[in-house]
Amino acid sequence: MDFDLMAYFVNINEQIDEIELRNNFQRPTYDTFALTDKLFMKNFRLSKEITRYLINILKPFIVVDTRLSSIDIQTKVLVVLNFFVTGSYQTSVGNSRLMNLSQSSVSRCVKQIVAALNQPEIFNTWVKFPSNIQELDEVRNEFYRKTGFAGVIGCLDCTHIAIVSPSKNMNLVENQYPEYMYVNRKNYHSMNVQLVCDSNLKVLNVNALFPGSTHDVHIWNNSNVSIMLKELHNHNYSDYFLLGDSGYPLRPWLLTPIAQPRTAAEENYNKNQMYVRSVIERCNGVLKMRFRCLLKDRVLHHKPEKATAIINACIVLHNMCIEYNISEVMDETIDEFDLGMYHNQEPLYEHVNDNRNRDLMLGRRQRDRIVGFLHNRNVPQT
């Protein structure tokens, strides 16, 4: 047979299959809620009960389509959850036995559900930093109860989420930054995402607006949390602070490790600081194992602003899992994945004689106080 003729018939058959897939609106689909609880969780990460709750809170933000070919909100939510969970291309998600949708339909579902999860009424309910002293005390007391480290209200770090190379046509609609700014120091395109979490791995604050080459400190200095904590300390509420790695500047509201510890007390502080701070690394790992579309190996095939919205949506769902005690995803191969947390190669060493920086001086005083507290707690009583 002539190869050109064979290719022609193959192409015609593929087009017929695609047309049938789009037009066969009455084709029965698999009842996903008939899955066992274990299999349902594996495919969607949420329990059936929480998934139904999610569908209900999203309904007011989803436009109802009355066409015969319209997709119901339950299917939209499930297909998007499965896309987040697998990180697979949208075509394979849509063609699975659970969904039976075309790639374009999956894309529209992702757009609608992600937009709904980013609505302030939903996002600000599920991702919120403590806004008053009572809420700060609740977070601080929980940290102290679990770790014995007084004053901590959160742990801070950044993680990279891989994206495809953005368009080089810079404009405010498609791209706020030049394409090269998205290339991080590991030489792939990413968003550099700042996370602050509590002792339960719940994300209290996320900033997913900056391209991969942006330094962590720049993101921190331009975050609302940094401004709020500075104001808090300016009003003499000095018993609240975050923990960060040595790449961040020492401040009364952000305690970092001691670069060159000289005493046993300072060594003990560093050990405790690192132990407590590891909660943010665990939070990042749990988040990306739950929603593998955020893993470097999967890559978000979206423009930067859409990638930001997807990241925010996954954070909302992650916090729901924390709130309702949804079990973590256990994966023995987790060490094989690049979780995107690249510690700063050049720590911000403190200049001992730099007395011009008042915030640095107050930060040293705050840290010395915690060094003494941790040391005295470990000294045997006579």
Side-chain angles (χ1 to χ4, degrees), residues 157-216:
D157 210 339
C158 285
T159 184
H160 288 263
I161 309 294
I163 62 172
V164 294
S165 175
S167 169
K168 294 186 178 181
N169 297 322
M170 184 176 171
N171 60 71
L172 293 179
V173 176
E174 278 191 15
N175 209 5
Q176 297 184 39
Y177 300 94
E179 174 270 335
Y180 67 86
M181 289 192 67
Y182 290 90
V183 180
N184 62 31
R185 67 167 177 259
K186 295 293 183 176
N187 205 33
Y188 66 89
H189 293 84
S190 71
M191 306 298 295
N192 193 7
V193 181
Q194 178 181 279
L195 300 175
V196 178
C197 78
D198 68 11
S199 61
N200 297 314
L201 310 187
K202 180 179 284 187
V203 176
L204 302 177
N205 179 264
V206 56
N207 188 333
L209 297 173
F210 289 89
S213 66
T214 310
H215 198 284
D216 296 358

Side-chain angles (χ1 to χ4, degrees), residues 116-141:
L117 286 167
N118 276 266
Q119 290 294 321
E121 295 90 335
I122 294 178
F123 183 82
N124 293 338
T125 297
W126 286 98
V127 186
K128 55 183 180 180
F129 196 82
S131 58
N132 55 56
I133 298 300
Q134 180 181 349
E135 292 177 355
L136 286 168
D137 285 342
E138 290 174 359
V139 176
R140 183 182 64 174
N141 292 341

Side-chain angles (χ1 to χ4, degrees), residues 17 143 154 158 234 238 287:
D17 289 343
F143 260 108
C158 285
N234 287 340
S238 58
L287 168 67

Side-chain angles (χ1 to χ4, degrees), residues 163-303:
I163 62 172
V164 294
S165 175
S167 169
K168 294 186 178 181
N169 297 322
M170 184 176 171
N171 60 71
L172 293 179
V173 176
E174 278 191 15
N175 209 5
Q176 297 184 39
Y177 300 94
E179 174 270 335
Y180 67 86
M181 289 192 67
Y182 290 90
V183 180
N184 62 31
R185 67 167 177 259
K186 295 293 183 176
N187 205 33
Y188 66 89
H189 293 84
S190 71
M191 306 298 295
N192 193 7
V193 181
Q194 178 181 279
L195 300 175
V196 178
C197 78
D198 68 11
S199 61
N200 297 314
L201 310 187
K202 180 179 284 187
V203 176
L204 302 177
N205 179 264
V206 56
N207 188 333
L209 297 173
F210 289 89
S213 66
T214 310
H215 198 284
D216 296 358
V217 175
H218 178 77
I219 301 175
W220 168 244
N221 288 338
N222 287 275
S223 70
N224 292 332
V225 174
S226 175
I227 296 171
M228 187 271 280
L229 288 179
K230 185 173 183 178
E231 282 296 309
L232 199 66
H233 278 252
N234 287 340
H235 287 83
N236 297 320
Y237 291 98
S238 58
D239 293 329
Y240 307 93
F241 50 80
L242 302 180
L243 298 183
D245 66 28
S246 57
Y248 288 100
L250 174 64
R251 296 292 183 264
W253 51 88
L254 176 58
L255 298 191
T256 59
I258 298 172
Q260 298 176 336
R262 293 181 173 84
T263 66
E266 291 180 345
E267 291 279 5
N268 180 60
Y269 163 83
N270 274 3
K271 180 181 178 181
N272 280 273
Q273 202 266 5
M274 183 178 298
Y275 167 74
V276 179
R277 199 182 75 239
S278 67
V279 72
I280 188 65
E281 297 178 358
R282 185 168 168 231
C283 173
N284 177 60
V286 170
L287 168 67
K288 291 185 177 181
M289 285 298 101
R290 276 197 172 116
F291 305 111
R292 298 194 176 195
C293 66
L294 304 180
L295 285 169
K296 178 200 169 186
D297 305 83
R298 306 303 163 91
V299 184
L300 289 177
H301 288 250
H302 299 275
K303 297 175 183 178

Side-chain angles (χ1 to χ4, degrees), residues 1-150:
M1 180 181 289
D2 182 82
F3 284 107
D4 290 338
L5 185 60
M6 182 184 296
Y8 171 78
F9 281 116
V10 169
N11 185 49
I12 288 295
N13 288 332
E14 289 178 348
Q15 291 182 38
I16 291 173
D17 289 343
E18 177 66 19
I19 291 172
E20 288 180 348
L21 184 62
R22 290 199 306 265
N23 293 335
N24 191 4
F25 306 130
Q26 304 301 325
R27 181 181 297 179
T29 57
Y30 192 91
D31 180 9
T32 51
F33 282 91
L35 293 170
T36 64
D37 291 343
K38 183 177 180 180
L39 196 53
F40 189 94
M41 291 274 291
K42 180 179 179 180
N43 281 278
F44 307 110
R45 293 297 187 257
L46 304 182
S47 67
K48 295 176 184 178
E49 180 182 4
I50 303 308
T51 301
R52 291 190 178 99
Y53 163 75
L54 177 64
I55 292 168
N56 286 332
I57 66 171
L58 291 178
K59 277 182 180 178
F61 305 99
I62 303 297
V63 177
V64 178
D65 193 339
T66 57
R67 294 179 301 173
L68 181 63
S69 61
S70 64
I71 304 169
D72 62 278
I73 186 172
Q74 174 177 305
T75 301
K76 289 179 180 179
V77 169
L78 291 173
V79 75
V80 174
L81 287 177
N82 192 242
F83 170 61
F84 288 168
V85 167
T86 62
S88 299
Y89 291 114
Q90 295 172 358
T91 300
S92 60
V93 172
N95 290 342
S96 75
R97 68 189 180 94
L98 298 178
M99 301 306 167
N100 197 16
L101 297 174
S102 67
Q103 186 277 334
S104 59
S105 295
V106 175
S107 181
R108 287 192 293 271
C109 290
V110 171
K111 181 179 180 180
Q112 292 178 359
I113 300 302
V114 166
L117 286 167
N118 276 266
Q119 290 294 321
E121 295 90 335
I122 294 178
F123 183 82
N124 293 338
T125 297
W126 286 98
V127 186
K128 55 183 180 180
F129 196 82
S131 58
N132 55 56
I133 298 300
Q134 180 181 349
E135 292 177 355
L136 286 168
D137 285 342
E138 290 174 359
V139 176
R140 183 182 64 174
N141 292 341
E142 187 69 7
F143 260 108
Y144 184 71
R145 186 183 68 81
K146 289 186 174 182
T147 69
F149 203 117

